[in-house]
Amino acid sequence: MRCITMVCSLSLLLVRLLFGTETGQLTGTVLDARTASPLAGANVLLLGTKLGAATDLNGSFLIDNLPLGVYNLEARMMGYAPQVRTDIVIRPKHDNPVEILLEATELALDEVVVRPDYFATRTQSGGPSVSFQREEVRRAPGSAEDVSRIVQNLPSVGMGMGDDRNDLIVRGGNPMENLILLDGHPVSNIDHYSTQGSTGGPIGMLAVDMLDDVQFSAGGFDTRYGNRLSSVMDLRFREGDREHLRGKANLSMGGAGATLEGPLSGSGSWLFTFRRSYLELLKSQIGTDGVPVYSDLSGKVIWEPAKNWTLGLVLLGGQSLIEWSADTDDVDEDSADESVYDEVRRVTTGLSLRHVTQSGTVDHIRYTLNHMLRDDVYSTWNNSLSMSNNSIEAIHTLEVSRDVLRKRWDLRIGLGSEYEDDGHHVVINPYIDDLGQAQPGSTTDHDFDAHSYWSYGDVTLRPFSGTSLRAGLRADYFEAIDEVALQPRAGLRQDFSDRWSFDLTIGVYAQNLPGIWLSQQEEPERMEAMRCLQYQCALEYRPQPWLLCSVEPYYRKYSDLPVSGLHPEIPVNNLIGGSFGFPETGQMTTGGEGRSYGVEFLVRRKLAKGVYGMLSYAWSKAEYRTPSSDWILGAFDRPHSFSLVGGWLINSRWELSGRWRYCSGAPTTPLDEEASIAEGHTIRDYAHYLSERLPMYHRLDLRVDHRIHGKRWDWVVYFDMQNVYNRSNVNGYYFRREALEGMVDGQPVYSYKREEVLGWSIMPVGGFSVEF
């Protein structure tokens, strides 16, 4: 008996040493949402407990000896609307500093009971927006920690061309119409194997460990944001630990990575994350030579040389390579193989200087460099299309802004310039496209360089309690097309109570054509900037502080869209931007039109009482026309889109979540069987362009997360089963050569079969991270 007791005691001691029930701590800062100035004397409280603290003169706070688990943190201060940050994970000996931004209010807390706000950043960009915190992105089922894929769950973002891409299709628009910001710096693309001239790709470069939060606005954004038509995705990196040197390692089916962070001498911090794939090591097990090889690096450095002065550096870079040679004809050994070589190197570097005055004026200077190197070689099995693409793109952006922030009004003004310096060498051999038209091929050997300049002014008035009026004007000068684009925008927000609010925006948005498009033009100055006139309104209802319900109807009218010389009946927006490959436009003209309209419903529950979730539904329609054609469906038109995401935080160690997504099938052009057989490759019936639809899309994803707390190590293990019931979603059709039937006049005759291009089948994804 004594031996048994001794063994049990030693076992319990070992368990406690490895995974002891330790406590943790929480540190953070409370700042003014508009000026980023520290707020001294703010009260912070972990909801559901009696644990809390008050901020010091630097806006900092510390709550020590906390039981391990996941909490919601509320911050309050007189003259500010209280806010709640969810998903605060307390780990032993490890601390992710929290930053809370409080919005000033005219109402004193002793005059009226103000409910805490779980959705405090809904109108930060002017119009309605939605934000996600780092933990919400990390644990999202079916998203593989890709920030773009979690945004796809919103009703304003439609399904792209398939599971293998994360394009943001906002209200029927082209993926190139989205503005991506990183700590205020414009980023050309945040994806590996990115689409040239657009914003999407298959794999995100951004490590979720770097994120503090992401805010997404689908239209209605104010004049600070320009040269885009559809949306703004504003990513914010967190700061590194200002007290301790810390590290984290992670491993998943996609790759391995590490995070390091620590204090900077003086006052500041640094934070870097590196990741690399390893699928090339598993070629024999995977059974293919064409596996992606990629790596990326993210970083942020903050230094405060003096009070109210902040210097910042952000970095996001990546390298991606894929190469394969696939024999698509097992019958005729003399036929050439399909071959692909695609290498992309991309880096964004941003430098910023911020100064905040005591009166509430914020001055910003930002410089950004987006640099991209691309090397593509592609050929099909029968040489029906072969091309090579060597491109260098460098975009330098400089912006100076001043925000004058007062109790009853705000004034935001800014000036900026952009210099694009590109070199494109592209050779495309003559080919017959998939619409059956013979194309002569082309050679682009052109150094494209052009400047753009802009200025904006934006005023927000708060004449009455709960009323906010916005008006602004933006002017962009695009040198390449020698055009000035004036863009007036206005908005109204009325909070009827702490439960009901209404938002109305109207505005003109303009966007220059991508440099890769303009470099193919003999006379780019003949083109015009694309424009979109947009109306939208939103009605919001919050029955509980953690529950938001909204309905948003909208109408968008496009004008001056480019029309490709290869297909004068089809706007370029309908042809390229949401798929792989070089965006060949031919000699373009202008004059295309478009329109999209719909209504969006959103119900979102923040983490409260262990449960969270989001339900979204959208009905929409998008169509386009050119001067030589009637209205045709938009390539991304999907009338119905539905998404249901939810999770249950069982306890501090276990979490279950799932997602079910449904949407209408994408428009497709039917195959021309006779022409396909005659030409030896897929030809579509051009006379019935986008006249049919693919089958509906739907799939279910389930995920489980498990946390293991140790004295020196903190583990998070997850398993994500995507497409649980193995739905065969169809992304398209093509003709495939089947067998050699015989010889006619000395020429081989083959049989063909229509095949489906299928999305991902059931796919397990798992991994773990360990923090030390």
Side-chain angles (χ1 to χ4, degrees):
M1 179 65 69
R2 182 175 298 177
C3 293
I4 296 175
T5 303
M6 183 177 297
V7 171
C8 293
S9 301
L10 290 175
S11 300
L12 289 174
L13 177 62
L14 180 61
V15 170
R16 292 190 64 181
L17 287 174
L18 291 177
F19 309 110
T21 57
E22 282 205 57
T23 59
Q25 67 176 19
L26 176 64
T27 63
T29 54
V30 180
L31 306 174
D32 185 290
R34 295 186 292 166
T35 66
S37 301
L39 297 178
N43 294 312
V44 293
L45 174 69
L46 290 172
L47 297 180
T49 75
K50 296 181 179 181
L51 302 173
T55 58
D56 60 18
L57 293 177
N58 297 317
S60 302
F61 66 87
L62 166 65
I63 308 176
D64 208 352
N65 297 319
L66 295 176
L68 306 182
V70 182
Y71 296 87
N72 292 343
L73 180 68
E74 179 182 282
R76 286 179 176 267
M77 185 172 181
M78 187 73 69
Y80 289 84
Q83 186 191 344
V84 174
R85 283 287 300 265
T86 62
D87 301 283
I88 306 298
V89 181
I90 303 301
R91 303 177 176 90
K93 303 296 185 183
H94 306 294
D95 173 32
N96 284 324
V98 176
E99 185 177 272
I100 301 182
L101 305 177
L102 295 185
E103 290 279 357
T105 177
E106 308 91 56
L107 298 176
L109 294 182
D110 56 356
E111 297 175 358
V112 65
V113 176
V114 181
R115 301 192 308 169
D117 193 350
Y118 284 66
F119 306 93
T121 56
R122 277 284 285 175
T123 59
Q124 189 172 321
S125 63
S129 60
V130 180
S131 64
F132 297 96
Q133 298 169 20
R134 175 175 64 253
E135 183 68 10
E136 291 176 306
V137 176
R138 186 202 64 79
R139 71 184 182 199
S143 299
E145 298 186 353
D146 186 334
V147 64
S148 297
R149 294 184 186 272
I150 188 174
V151 170
Q152 287 179 335
N153 294 323
L154 297 174
S156 56
V157 183
M159 182 74 185
M161 291 304 181
D163 293 314
D164 59 344
R165 294 188 60 87
N166 63 10
D167 297 294
L168 301 181
I169 311 299
V170 180
R171 294 175 174 172
N174 192 288
M176 70 171 182
E177 300 172 11
N178 307 306
L179 174 63
I180 302 174
L181 298 173
L182 177 55
D183 279 13
H185 298 275
V187 184
S188 298
N189 198 294
I190 59 172
D191 296 300
H192 291 292
Y193 310 100
S194 55
T195 299
Q196 197 167 359
S198 191
T199 61
I203 303 172
M205 289 194 303
L206 191 65
V208 71
D209 286 334
M210 295 294 298
L211 275 178
D212 187 34
D213 61 27
V214 54
Q215 180 178 320
F216 183 79
S217 176
F221 42 92
D222 61 44
T223 57
R224 290 174 293 171
Y225 309 100
N227 200 24
R228 289 297 187 272
L229 302 179
S230 290
S231 73
V232 176
M233 185 164 67
D234 194 352
L235 305 159
R236 193 159 62 103
F237 277 174
R238 67 180 179 92
E239 291 189 17
D241 194 318
R242 295 195 176 201
E243 301 294 333
H244 307 96
L245 178 65
R246 297 170 48 199
K248 183 177 182 179
N250 60 75
L251 179 70
S252 68
M253 298 182 68
T259 300
L260 289 175
E261 60 185 293
L264 196 63
S265 178
S267 179
S269 66
W270 55 270
L271 169 66
F272 289 94
T273 293
F274 175 77
R275 301 187 305 174
R276 194 188 189 284
S277 66
Y278 55 78
L279 292 178
E280 72 275 14
L281 304 178
L282 307 175
K283 285 183 179 180
S284 59
Q285 288 83 358
I286 297 175
T288 180
D289 292 330
V291 296
V293 180
Y294 58 86
S295 59
D296 50 63
L297 174 67
S298 307
K300 180 173 182 175
V301 179
I302 289 292
W303 181 48
E304 298 172 353
K307 185 178 180 180
N308 296 328
W309 289 88
T310 304
L311 286 169
L313 165 69
V314 292
L315 174 68
L316 177 63
Q319 179 179 7
S320 54
L321 170 67
I322 189 166
E323 180 179 13
W324 81 78
S325 179
D327 188 358
T328 59
D329 180 11
D330 297 329
V331 180
D332 183 3
E333 296 181 356
D334 294 330
S335 66
D337 295 337
E338 178 184 33
S339 63
V340 173
Y341 180 90
D342 179 24
E343 182 177 13
V344 183
R345 300 180 183 182
R346 182 181 295 278
V347 63
T348 297
T349 305
L351 296 171
S352 65
L353 174 64
R354 186 187 69 193
H355 177 238
V356 182
T357 69
Q358 294 296 329
S359 62
T361 297
V362 183
D363 294 316
H364 249 124
I365 301 176
R366 292 188 180 95
Y367 166 74
T368 313
L369 171 62
N370 284 278
H371 194 270
M372 188 272 292
L373 299 174
R374 192 176 199 102
D375 184 11
D376 294 343
V377 179
Y378 174 77
S379 64
T380 55
W381 60 273
N382 63 352
N383 290 321
S384 61
L385 174 61
S386 60
M387 58 86 67
S388 64
N389 175 11
N390 298 102
S391 296
I392 301 177
E393 297 179 0
I395 303 176
H396 304 262
T397 307
L398 178 65
E399 184 171 61
V400 180
S401 65
R402 165 165 284 192
D403 296 346
V404 183
L405 308 173
R406 298 294 184 263
K407 184 176 181 180
R408 293 288 183 180
W409 57 272
D410 298 335
L411 172 64
R412 293 179 169 89
I413 56 176
L415 299 169
S417 67
E418 183 175 278
Y419 173 59
E420 184 169 359
D421 184 13
D422 299 350
H424 300 119
H425 181 71
V426 183
V427 177
I428 302 177
N429 294 327
Y431 66 98
I432 296 179
D433 64 23
D434 63 357
L435 294 179
Q437 296 188 357
Q439 304 297 347
S442 62
T443 298
T444 301
D445 192 1
H446 181 62
D447 292 331
F448 174 82
D449 62 285
H451 291 84
S452 299
Y453 306 93
W454 65 86
S455 63
Y456 67 83
D458 204 275
V459 178
T460 300
L461 303 176
R462 292 178 288 275
F464 313 106
S465 175
T467 301
S468 176
L469 300 171
R470 308 182 299 273
L473 178 65
R474 182 183 178 95
D476 286 80
Y477 172 66
F478 304 119
E479 180 187 54
I481 58 178
D482 191 23
E483 181 181 352
V484 176
L486 296 178
Q487 304 154 70
R489 301 172 194 174
L492 162 68
R493 182 177 179 86
Q494 179 63 56
D495 295 320
F496 301 108
S497 68
D498 59 357
R499 286 178 168 82
W500 289 94
S501 61
F502 175 78
D503 196 290
L504 173 66
T505 59
I506 179 173
V508 176
Y509 301 83
Q511 181 176 347
N512 194 15
L513 303 181
I516 187 63
W517 295 14
L518 291 175
S519 66
Q520 302 176 53
Q521 309 308 304
E522 296 176 357
E523 299 178 278
E525 64 275 4
R526 296 180 57 186
M527 301 305 299
E528 297 183 39
M530 301 177 291
R531 284 176 170 78
C532 180
L533 172 62
Q534 177 166 296
Y535 309 84
Q536 73 174 43
C537 64
L539 181 64
E540 298 179 0
Y541 174 54
R542 304 184 191 187
Q544 298 291 338
W546 35 261
L547 183 62
L548 170 71
C549 309
S550 68
V551 54
E552 296 187 30
Y554 67 91
Y555 179 82
R556 311 174 74 212
K557 183 179 181 181
Y558 289 89
S559 60
D560 300 324
L561 297 178
V563 179
S564 174
L566 303 177
H567 297 285
E569 298 84 359
I570 306 173
V572 175
N573 300 54
N574 242 30
L575 291 172
I576 55 181
S579 58
F580 301 100
F582 174 75
E584 185 186 14
T585 65
Q587 295 301 306
M588 296 186 296
T589 59
T590 191
E593 295 180 273
R595 60 192 180 196
S596 67
Y597 47 89
V599 59
E600 301 162 357
F601 301 89
L602 175 67
V603 179
R604 188 178 181 196
R605 176 188 172 118
K606 284 279 195 172
L607 178 62
K609 300 180 181 179
V611 179
Y612 59 88
M614 182 171 66
L615 182 150
S616 68
Y617 168 75
W619 173 86
S620 62
K621 186 172 184 178
E623 50 189 0
Y624 297 87
R625 71 177 178 183
T626 71
S628 59
S629 71
D630 202 352
W631 291 102
I632 58 175
L633 278 179
F636 306 106
D637 177 76
R638 297 193 185 228
H640 301 281
S641 178
F642 177 85
S643 185
L644 177 61
V645 183
W648 177 28
L649 188 64
I650 302 173
N651 52 43
S652 63
R653 297 181 183 274
W654 290 96
E655 182 175 349
L656 300 176
S657 59
R659 178 184 72 167
W660 188 72
R661 191 177 188 190
Y662 162 88
C663 64
S664 304
T668 187
T669 303
L671 301 179
D672 188 327
E673 183 173 353
E674 293 184 3
S676 297
I677 295 176
E679 295 294 337
H681 68 101
T682 301
I683 300 293
R684 306 189 184 279
D685 185 0
Y686 177 74
H688 298 90
Y689 179 72
L690 296 184
S691 62
E692 297 181 357
R693 285 194 180 273
L694 298 173
M696 69 178 68
Y697 172 98
H698 57 86
R699 84 179 211 195
L700 173 66
D701 307 316
L702 296 176
R703 175 173 173 139
V704 57
D705 288 75
H706 180 48
R707 296 181 177 89
I708 307 173
H709 303 303
K711 283 200 170 187
R712 296 186 178 182
W713 310 89
D714 190 61
W715 299 76
V716 177
V717 183
Y718 73 91
F719 182 75
D720 192 352
M721 182 64 76
Q722 302 187 14
N723 196 4
V724 171
Y725 50 76
N726 201 25
R727 163 73 177 180
S728 296
N729 288 301
V730 179
N731 296 333
Y733 303 103
Y734 70 102
F735 271 104
R736 182 181 184 274
R737 182 184 294 187
E738 283 290 295
L740 179 64
E741 296 291 322
M743 304 290 292
V744 176
D745 298 329
Q747 298 295 323
V749 177
Y750 299 94
S751 62
Y752 289 82
K753 179 182 179 181
R754 192 183 83 159
E755 293 282 356
E756 296 176 338
V757 180
L758 298 179
W760 289 344
S761 58
I762 184 171
M763 182 172 64
V765 178
F768 68 87
S769 64
V770 54
E771 191 169 358
F772 50 90

